[in-house]
Amino acid sequence: MKILLVLILIICVGWNHAFPASTAILNNTNSYSIKGGTFNGKDSSLIYSIGTCDINGDGIKDIIYNNGDGYVVLFGDVSRFGNSRPINDSFADGINGFKIKIPQAERFPVCGDVNGDGIDDLIVTNSQSFFGTLFLIYGSKSPFKATIDSFDGINGFQIIGEPYSSLGIGKVICDVNGDGVKDIVFSTIMGFYGGGHSNSTNRNFVIYGLKNGSKYTTDNGEYKVSDIVEGKGFIMTLIYGLTLTCGDINNDGYDDLYLQKPRYQIVFGNATFPLDYAPKFDGKEALNITGITWASIDNRSGTSSFGDFNGDGLIDMAVTNGNYSSYEVYIIFGKKNENWPSTFDAKSRNSSNVIAFTKGSGSKDYNCDSLMMGDINADGFDDLQCFSPDFVWVVYGSDFPFESEVDLSASTSPLFDECRGFILEQVDGKVLANADFNNDKILDLMVIKSNILYGIYGEKLLMSASLGLINTTLEYSSNGSYILLDGNYSPVSEKCPLTSIKVQVINAQPSDSIDIASSNDITVKKLSPSTIIIYNNNRDSKFLQKIAKIQYSTQRKDSIASINFKFPGYLDETILVNATAPHKFPCICPANNICIDSLCVPPGTTDINAGCAKYPCTYGLDCNSHDNKCEFRSGCMTCADLKCGSNEECELRISFNPKCKLFPFCVLN
């Protein structure tokens, strides 16, 4: 009945979203699907997956998912599987993918190049016998065995935890020391997988990545944490994470670690670390995050992610608050060259630092049990993707400033505007992922329904725009002021309007200035005298028509200004302003004639366009019969041949040279 209602809604309302409104209408044209195998006589619960790894080094992203008795890797792209729907693990035959057979496979796989050969490596873990074991499989362009069930140091290695240590409960691959190679990071939490407790304490381990395709030294395929010595990694005691993610939130070139449980903390990356590292929570080495709570002890379902949500080139962090009584999702904006506090309050409601997405007072619960950040609509901004029981909601990233609190139930919610976000119904798998399994360079949204993993192809936002410039070159204005667009353009845009436009003098000089007055329709942010961003306050489809009065002012007199109008991926147009002052020269004509456009004509003449074929040129110029224009004689110097000082200008004066009757001189302004 629920499927029928969704279909009726789609028929009545029409196709309101670039993305499908429900998993019920997915097919081969808009998605692919993957089904887990059979384990112990039952269909495997296909839950945890990633799709942003290239394990076989062919430049195409692969998909890795948990499959009951281990993991399955399927090589991209989807075309290799023909019209198979759903794809299943029988394709993991060593040619189209492979299986990793380990008992009690534990949640998320993670990937990244840890040995500097340019191919992603894969880390998976298990929870067998309460120990916890981490397995690393080296990526390779060489063929893989159809099933990997042992590790010899060549194909990979394992790290075995101490009894009850739950080693690998949190894991991530990132470059915390900024040497260009990603590092292996993992945590232990004593007794989490069950069993007793040892005398060991909870810790976080970092093993530095290797370079040039080297492989880690192992003992018959086993790497021991006792091999971590200073210079090869570091250990943090009593600082650990049930969930580990990473990204460069302070944008200093070093990946930072986000550790969740029991506290919510960020440990900043750095070039060097002592073996036993105890960071100070002073905002420089580490910080605490308050305002995040979880009702459940187990929050390993993807509760944080990194990306550039507002398109400023800085890495931001998304994090979800798992308290169902006050569910909120936060985008914490990345900073650069700024000090962080020792404690960051996610609930601060300071829109320059953090946005809070709240479920509001509506009847629909916009919770967020797990989240992802990734650009699934190809507009250059990473999008916030959240799983709420029974559906997924997505808010598109944007450079348009959000309020400090966004009510997802309100009529102005971005979820109700196909240009700003969407809702995907009938999803029951708790974990989200992104991929590019069709290799179209747009991330897919991976969701789960009834143990089927669906990869919904990313769709480019319904946005296009053009200024429709009439003249791309503007001629010299003696007052140095130019209205760039008014009367000079015929703008057009598609369904989704631009949220902003950046106007910049590319070859700016100190005297250059770009200006337009703010209004109810537009807000202007001045990045520099010669660069502004104009925001579309009301997301008006007529936004481009509202920016006609952009003014360029300059004192330059001898060059061409290049002024660019840009919204990344959709609009990139340029106007040239010829700010070269015309050269002054004496206009000398016979008696009873006047000088107009270098021609000597009788007073009252109206057919100037007849040119020098009809009227004589002024003194010092000759008629070019081909172009029908007056010009200097060949070989004679003009102002173009003379470079005057900044406080000078060029004038042409009478010369006594019989050939070149005019000569350029530099005179003070």
Side-chain angles (χ1 to χ4, degrees):
M1 184 63 179
K2 185 182 287 186
I3 294 175
L4 180 60
L5 289 174
V6 171
L7 291 175
I8 292 172
L9 179 64
I10 293 166
I11 292 171
C12 294
V13 176
W15 292 96
N16 287 328
H17 298 279
F19 282 86
S22 167
T23 57
I25 57 175
L26 297 180
N27 54 51
N28 280 340
T29 65
N30 56 21
S31 65
Y32 50 88
S33 63
I34 300 173
K35 189 177 188 299
T38 301
F39 181 62
N40 289 338
K42 298 180 179 179
D43 286 344
S44 299
S45 296
L46 198 162
I47 303 175
Y48 303 98
S49 62
I50 51 175
T52 53
C53 315
D54 180 15
I55 305 300
N56 61 345
D58 62 355
I60 302 173
K61 300 301 183 183
D62 311 315
I63 286 179
I64 302 99
Y65 59 89
N66 180 311
N67 195 37
D69 63 342
Y71 295 85
V72 176
V73 177
L74 295 177
F75 297 145
D77 64 27
V78 69
S79 63
R80 70 166 66 224
F81 303 104
N83 294 320
S84 298
R85 188 179 183 90
I87 303 166
N88 58 59
D89 58 8
S90 67
F91 286 99
D93 54 6
I95 299 173
N96 296 300
F98 61 92
K99 296 180 181 178
I100 306 165
K101 188 172 183 178
I102 59 174
Q104 295 177 236
E106 166 58 28
R107 306 242 173 159
F108 288 108
V110 295
C111 66
D113 180 14
V114 301
N115 67 338
D117 62 356
I119 306 173
D120 286 333
D121 310 304
L122 178 64
I123 289 179
V124 297
T125 55
N126 75 0
S127 54
Q128 187 181 29
S129 302
F130 314 129
F131 284 61
T133 303
L134 181 148
F135 305 89
L136 182 138
I137 299 92
Y138 289 118
S140 175
K141 293 184 178 181
S142 300
F144 288 85
K145 290 174 57 179
T147 299
I148 296 176
D149 55 8
S150 62
F151 302 86
D152 57 11
I154 304 300
N155 66 346
F157 61 85
Q158 58 184 331
I159 303 174
I160 301 174
E162 299 176 0
Y164 317 119
S165 66
S166 309
L167 183 142
I169 184 70
K171 56 189 177 291
V172 71
I173 294 176
C174 55
D175 186 10
V176 296
N177 64 344
D179 64 354
V181 183
K182 294 183 178 180
D183 311 313
I184 302 169
V185 187
F186 57 94
S187 284
T188 62
I189 296 182
M190 305 308 300
F192 188 86
Y193 291 151
H197 290 268
S198 72
N199 293 324
S200 297
T201 54
N202 298 327
R203 292 181 290 178
N204 197 82
F205 299 88
V206 177
I207 304 172
Y208 294 147
L210 305 178
K211 296 185 177 181
N212 304 317
S214 302
K215 295 193 174 181
Y216 289 89
T217 301
T218 66
D219 183 2
N220 294 319
E222 181 183 349
Y223 185 100
K224 301 183 187 318
V225 295
S226 58
D227 293 335
I228 302 175
V229 297
E230 190 155 345
K232 292 188 176 181
F234 63 93
I235 302 168
M236 294 185 289
T237 301
L238 295 178
I239 298 175
Y240 56 96
L242 189 62
T243 295
L244 285 176
T245 52
C246 64
D248 186 10
I249 189 68
N250 63 347
N251 293 275
D252 62 353
Y254 306 98
D255 281 337
D256 312 311
L257 295 176
Y258 174 69
L259 306 96
Q260 185 166 329
K261 200 72 176 181
R263 299 181 181 89
Y264 304 91
Q265 301 169 321
I266 292 176
V267 176
F268 293 119
N270 202 2
T272 59
F273 296 88
L275 176 60
D276 295 305
Y277 183 50
K280 300 173 184 176
F281 285 83
D282 56 2
K284 297 178 181 178
E285 295 183 356
L287 62 83
N288 290 298
I289 300 179
T290 60
I292 301 173
T293 58
W294 270 85
S296 167
I297 186 174
D298 192 350
N299 56 8
R300 291 174 293 157
S301 300
T303 55
S304 61
S305 185
F306 288 81
D308 184 4
F309 184 74
N310 61 348
D312 62 357
L314 304 179
I315 299 299
D316 312 312
M317 184 175 77
V319 61
T320 178
N321 181 341
N323 186 343
Y324 267 67
S325 63
S326 59
Y327 226 120
E328 297 185 345
V329 181
Y330 308 105
I331 298 288
I332 300 174
F333 289 125
K335 305 291 183 184
K336 188 173 185 179
N337 301 322
E338 293 187 30
N339 294 325
W340 287 79
S342 60
T343 299
F344 183 92
D345 181 10
K347 290 181 172 291
S348 68
R349 299 300 195 261
N350 181 343
S351 61
S352 65
N353 293 328
V354 60
I355 306 170
F357 294 91
T358 68
K359 62 181 181 180
S361 58
S363 59
K364 201 174 185 72
D365 288 332
Y366 295 104
N367 302 328
C368 190
D369 289 349
S370 64
L371 59 77
M372 278 293 298
M373 289 267 279
D375 183 11
I376 61 174
N377 65 348
D379 64 353
F381 304 94
D382 287 321
D383 310 311
L384 174 62
Q385 308 153 53
C386 278
F387 168 78
S388 186
D390 299 326
F391 67 95
V392 169
W393 58 268
V394 176
V395 174
Y396 293 144
S398 174
D399 64 341
F400 188 84
F402 285 80
E403 297 293 332
S404 60
E405 182 175 334
V406 178
D407 183 346
L408 296 175
S409 296
S411 60
T412 56
S413 168
L415 302 182
F416 306 146
D417 180 349
E418 65 184 309
C419 299
R420 301 167 62 200
F422 66 93
I423 296 173
L424 175 71
E425 300 284 0
Q426 298 192 53
V427 178
D428 58 19
K430 191 174 184 180
V431 180
L432 302 175
N434 289 149
D436 183 16
F437 209 40
N438 61 339
N439 197 36
D440 65 351
K441 311 308 178 188
I442 305 175
L443 290 181
D444 314 322
L445 172 60
M446 296 169 65
V447 302
I448 296 169
K449 171 64 176 177
S450 302
N451 279 339
I452 301 290
L453 187 153
Y454 293 97
I456 304 168
Y457 296 136
E459 294 281 352
K460 195 164 186 179
L461 194 64
L462 295 173
M463 178 187 290
S464 68
S466 171
L467 293 176
L469 294 172
I470 298 170
N471 293 309
T472 56
T473 300
L474 302 184
E475 294 303 324
Y476 174 77
S477 171
S478 60
N479 65 6
S481 180
Y482 304 82
I483 302 298
L484 300 175
L485 298 179
D486 196 14
N488 188 40
Y489 76 138
S490 181
V492 293
S493 59
E494 205 175 319
K495 191 167 189 177
C496 296
L498 301 185
T499 56
S500 68
I501 189 168
K502 184 177 183 180
V503 186
Q504 179 178 17
V505 183
I506 300 300
N507 56 339
Q509 292 186 3
S511 67
D512 291 344
S513 179
I514 295 285
D515 297 283
I516 186 173
S518 295
S519 68
N520 292 332
D521 298 314
I522 62 173
T523 297
V524 181
K525 181 178 181 181
K526 194 126 183 156
L527 302 183
S528 72
S530 58
T531 303
I532 61 173
I533 297 178
I534 308 171
Y535 292 104
N536 184 357
N537 286 352
N538 306 310
R539 297 184 181 271
D540 189 347
S541 60
K542 300 295 184 182
F543 167 59
L544 292 180
Q545 284 85 339
K546 306 291 177 65
I547 63 171
K549 299 298 184 180
I550 298 174
Q551 180 174 341
Y552 167 60
S553 301
T554 185
Q555 295 179 12
R556 64 169 84 190
K557 297 290 186 181
D558 59 354
S559 60
I560 295 175
S562 179
I563 302 173
N564 181 249
F565 301 79
K566 189 170 188 176
F567 184 85
Y570 294 93
L571 188 145
D572 189 354
E573 300 182 42
T574 299
I575 288 178
L576 300 179
V577 175
N578 184 3
T580 303
H583 305 308
K584 296 179 182 179
F585 62 92
C587 191
I588 304 173
C589 290
N592 301 321
N593 275 250
I594 61 174
C595 182
I596 300 178
D597 291 345
S598 303
L599 295 173
C600 293
V601 299
T605 299
T606 58
D607 60 341
I608 302 299
N609 292 335
C612 59
K614 181 174 181 181
Y615 299 107
C617 295
T618 185
Y619 179 83
L621 301 184
D622 288 342
C623 182
N624 182 326
S625 58
H626 181 269
D627 296 330
N628 195 23
K629 291 184 178 180
C630 297
E631 62 180 28
F632 282 88
R633 291 181 177 179
S634 175
C636 293
M637 285 185 64
T638 70
C639 281
D641 302 309
L642 195 63
K643 184 67 175 178
C644 296
S646 59
N647 62 338
E648 297 177 323
E649 60 183 349
C650 180
E651 285 187 359
L652 291 165
R653 296 183 176 180
I654 296 175
S655 166
F656 295 103
N657 187 311
K659 178 183 178 183
C660 301
K661 298 179 180 180
L662 297 174
F663 200 81
F665 286 89
C666 289
V667 296
L668 292 175
N669 287 334

